[in-house]
Amino acid sequence: ASFANPIDMTAEASARQYGEALRYLLEDDDIDMVIVIFIPPITTGPEEIAAVIRDLAPRFYQQGKTLVASLMGWRGANRELSSGPVHVPGFSFPESTAVALAKAYEYGQWLKRPKGVVSELTGIDRDKARKLVEFGLQCSNNQPTWLDADSVNMVLECYGVSLAQSGSAKTKKEAGELAEKLGFPLAAKLLSDTIVHKTDVGGVVLDLKTKADVEEAYEQVKQRLVAIGREGEMKGITLQQMEEGGVEVIVGVTQSPNLGPLMLFGLGGIYTELFKDVAFRIHPLTDVDAREMVKSIKAYRLLEGWRGAKPCDVSALEELLLRISAMVEDLPEIAEMDMNPVKSLNKGSGYKVLDARIRLVNPVISK
């Protein structure tokens, strides 16, 4: 026999000896949980072992100690273990027992964690945001719709979200004039209500340093759409000031039929769908939720400063999540939303939202 962990009772142990061992473990303050693993030998039947476990289960329960069993090869184990005043969970294999206990422990630790608070945020114009959303639905005859780019930016500004300075141009001439107002370098992005992934159709041109570069970029985007027969979906281009450095992340919202709004945070840019390094939390977010979301992704090490890079402004990202959660609370018409990429800048410099979209659904009609 072995008195280490695990205790080896050997194949010759009787039901009485199993009971004695369990009583010793019950009295040991250093023992929190016990797994009884039993493979039926020739000398002792599983019914006898199950009876011992069942009879001692109330004492384990009274002392707050977890008692589970894996009576291998015996189909009637669960029925016998549950016949007493205290139910003893039974598993066919020890590995399943260990996994179940690990999950129960993790859940217990989660219950003990600080719940946090839903923060009171300043600088929010709820009335203006409400009017923008209502107008967007009116324009679509209360049918599901994607808000146009300008309305998206205005709704985000209503909630204090920091946007990269930008503007829209419907013609090449307007694009050149707008570029001189914004300053350089600029990024040019396709303006379209139907094409979501702009990079897939060549709808993004970066590092434009002159007015001529911007006008040429306008023509490039247009001709790329002509080549694939989608030029009718182009409404113009959006010009946006370039943000150097930092880490690209994504912040989003989706609707779950069972859970309601779900908040999303993860690695952004063109790698979002490739690596799927994202975290979800149920709305509304507390300050603890926001902090855990940011820290839970694998790319968090990039935000901390990877291999000599400067750390990013993590606290600003947490506030961004809280502001989007507040927006979802105030505007139940938001069925889907993502901001990708959001450029997380150096610590103390905040962030800039480089691209965003919002899909609206009338909650009354959708039900």
Side-chain angles (χ1 to χ4, degrees):
S2 168
F3 299 103
N5 189 3
I7 297 172
D8 184 0
M9 299 292 292
T10 77
E12 298 178 1
S14 65
R16 179 182 60 80
Q17 290 169 322
Y18 266 84
E20 290 176 353
L22 285 172
R23 291 185 185 91
Y24 279 117
L25 297 174
L26 180 65
E27 296 168 1
D28 192 330
D29 293 335
D30 294 327
I31 302 297
D32 298 306
M33 57 180 66
V34 175
I35 305 174
V36 182
I37 303 172
F38 179 77
I39 303 174
I42 297 175
T43 56
T44 306
E47 296 87 352
E48 301 172 67
I49 301 299
V52 169
I53 297 171
R54 181 196 62 212
D55 294 342
L56 285 172
R59 293 181 57 187
F60 274 82
Y61 178 80
Q62 290 168 3
Q63 294 193 26
K65 293 192 175 187
T66 300
L67 177 64
V68 297
S70 177
L71 306 187
M72 300 174 65
W74 185 42
R75 294 184 178 180
N78 289 339
R79 183 176 62 254
E80 184 67 27
L81 292 172
S82 301
S83 61
V86 174
H87 171 72
V88 180
F91 299 84
S92 300
F93 298 98
E95 293 84 356
S96 303
T97 313
V99 169
L101 287 175
K103 293 297 182 183
Y105 172 78
E106 290 171 4
Y107 180 61
Q109 294 300 107
W110 181 83
L111 289 175
K112 292 178 182 178
R113 89 195 213 291
K115 293 180 174 59
V117 295
V118 177
S119 304
E120 290 289 335
L121 301 169
T122 59
I124 294 178
D125 190 341
R126 292 178 173 85
D127 292 337
K128 182 179 179 180
R130 161 63 46 202
K131 291 176 182 177
L132 287 165
V133 167
E134 290 175 350
F135 181 74
L137 283 172
Q138 287 173 7
C139 291
S140 67
N141 295 318
N142 277 320
Q143 295 303 307
T145 184
W146 290 97
L147 269 182
D148 62 85
D150 290 338
S151 296
V152 169
N153 289 344
M154 286 190 284
V155 170
L156 293 177
E157 287 174 346
C158 287
Y159 281 83
V161 174
S162 180
L163 305 169
Q165 191 171 356
S166 64
S168 301
K170 296 181 179 180
T171 65
K172 181 170 70 173
K173 181 181 178 182
E174 287 183 9
E177 294 171 350
L178 176 61
E180 291 183 321
K181 293 179 181 178
L182 292 175
F184 301 95
L186 295 169
K189 302 179 182 180
L190 168 67
L191 182 61
S192 173
D193 293 335
T194 55
I195 299 175
V196 177
H197 299 294
K198 303 173 182 65
T199 54
D200 292 351
V201 296
V204 178
V205 185
L206 304 177
D207 203 24
L208 305 174
K209 297 179 180 178
T210 66
K211 177 181 178 181
D213 288 345
V214 170
E215 292 175 342
E216 182 181 349
Y218 186 98
E219 282 299 321
Q220 286 179 1
V221 172
K222 182 178 179 179
Q223 291 306 315
R224 287 167 183 169
L225 291 178
V226 169
I228 59 175
R230 302 184 70 175
E231 65 273 18
E233 298 177 67
M234 180 177 178
K235 287 190 170 184
I237 63 171
T238 297
L239 291 179
Q240 190 174 73
Q241 288 185 337
M242 295 278 291
E243 292 289 344
E244 301 295 335
V247 176
E248 292 184 341
V249 299
I250 181 174
V251 173
V253 178
T254 188
Q255 293 285 343
S256 165
N258 298 320
L259 302 175
L262 293 178
M263 303 291 299
L264 174 150
F265 176 83
L267 181 64
I270 61 174
Y271 301 112
T272 299
E273 296 181 3
L274 176 63
F275 293 116
K276 295 181 172 59
D277 183 15
V278 295
F280 289 91
R281 290 294 187 278
I282 298 174
H283 165 82
L285 295 184
T286 67
D287 54 348
V288 172
D289 293 326
R291 191 177 311 119
E292 289 181 350
M293 284 185 76
V294 175
K295 290 185 176 181
S296 64
I297 65 171
K298 295 178 182 177
Y300 179 68
R301 297 178 71 181
L302 296 176
L303 298 173
E304 287 184 303
W306 175 251
R307 293 200 169 183
K310 293 182 179 179
C312 295
D313 200 334
V314 172
S315 60
L317 292 178
E318 294 172 4
E319 182 179 332
L320 172 60
L321 286 166
L322 294 174
R323 288 187 176 275
I324 298 304
S325 181
M327 184 174 72
V328 173
E329 179 70 21
D330 296 336
L331 306 172
E333 295 87 353
I334 295 178
E336 182 181 349
M337 172 196 158
D338 66 64
M339 298 181 293
N340 185 27
V342 176
K343 186 66 74 73
S344 180
L345 304 175
N346 293 340
K347 191 172 184 178
S349 300
Y351 63 86
K352 292 291 183 182
V353 175
L354 304 186
D355 200 5
R357 59 186 186 133
I358 295 176
R359 181 171 177 267
L360 301 179
V361 172
N362 190 316
V364 177
I365 294 178
S366 65
K367 292 179 180 179

